[in-house]
Amino acid sequence: MTSRIAKVLTLGPRDWIDLMRAQAALVRARRRVADEPIGSFTSRGTDAAGIVRGDPVRARAIALAVERAAAHGLFRPYCLVQALALRELLTRDGIDGSQIRIGVRQKGGTFSAHAWVRWGDEVLGDRADHVAGFTEVDDIRVLQGP
C-alpha cells in the first residue's frame, strides 16, 4: 500500500467533510477569479477593524484541507483561487479577521506575484518563509481595470 493511500485511509470524518467543502470552495473561487476584477479581492482594514477571532486549530485544519484539495483535487488552482477559497471557508466557520494578501517580487529578472491568507500574525495555507520573499502590495485597485 502506498503512503498516499495509507494517509487517505487515516482521515477521519471531519477531514473528509473539510476536503469536500474545500473542493467546492475552490470551484467557486475559480469562478469568482474569472468573473470579478482581481483588485476587488484584497484590501487592508476591511475586516472588522482587524479583529481576529476563532479557533486556531480549526483555522489550520481548514487551511490543510484547502491545500490537500488544491494538490490532489479536480484541478490545480492558482494561489489566488486557493486564498479566496480558504478565506471563504474560514469566514463560514466563524473564523474572523483573515485577509487575502498579494505580494510581488523580482527574482532573477523575472517578475512574479503571489496571494496568501494572513490571519493575525499567522500565514495560513502557505509557508511564512515563502511569502516573506514577496513585498506586500497594499492597494491593487489598479488591477481592476477601467
Side-chain angles (χ1 to χ4, degrees):
M1 184 178 336
T2 69
S3 64
R4 278 190 187 179
I5 292 172
K7 192 176 237 183
V8 166
L9 294 176
T10 65
L11 294 178
R14 183 72 218 193
D15 298 320
W16 282 105
I17 291 169
D18 284 347
L19 271 175
M20 289 185 286
R21 290 179 67 220
Q23 186 63 70
L26 287 167
V27 170
R28 287 189 299 274
R30 186 166 75 169
R31 180 172 291 135
R32 281 188 68 197
V33 168
D35 294 344
E36 298 177 31
I38 291 174
S40 67
F41 297 130
T42 182
S43 66
R44 287 194 195 262
T46 60
D47 296 327
I51 296 170
V52 174
R53 279 186 283 232
D55 177 8
V57 173
R58 183 74 190 123
R60 290 181 201 111
I62 293 168
L64 179 60
V66 171
E67 288 178 61
R68 286 174 171 166
H72 307 290
L74 300 175
F75 60 96
R76 303 295 164 262
Y78 292 110
C79 55
L80 181 58
V81 171
Q82 291 179 57
L84 284 168
L86 176 53
R87 186 167 190 279
E88 173 194 324
L89 293 174
L90 291 170
T91 300
R92 286 181 178 212
D93 277 30
I95 298 169
D96 300 324
S98 64
Q99 294 183 333
I100 295 175
R101 303 302 307 142
I102 304 286
V104 295
R105 74 175 175 198
Q106 187 164 356
K107 188 175 182 180
T110 303
F111 176 82
S112 61
H114 186 54
W116 64 92
V117 173
R118 180 169 298 284
W119 184 56
D121 293 333
E122 189 168 352
V123 173
L124 294 175
D126 207 327
R127 293 184 346 264
D129 64 322
H130 179 245
V131 301
F134 291 85
T135 300
E136 287 191 33
V137 179
D138 286 333
D139 189 351
I140 62 168
R141 287 179 292 175
V142 296
L143 299 176
Q144 290 181 6

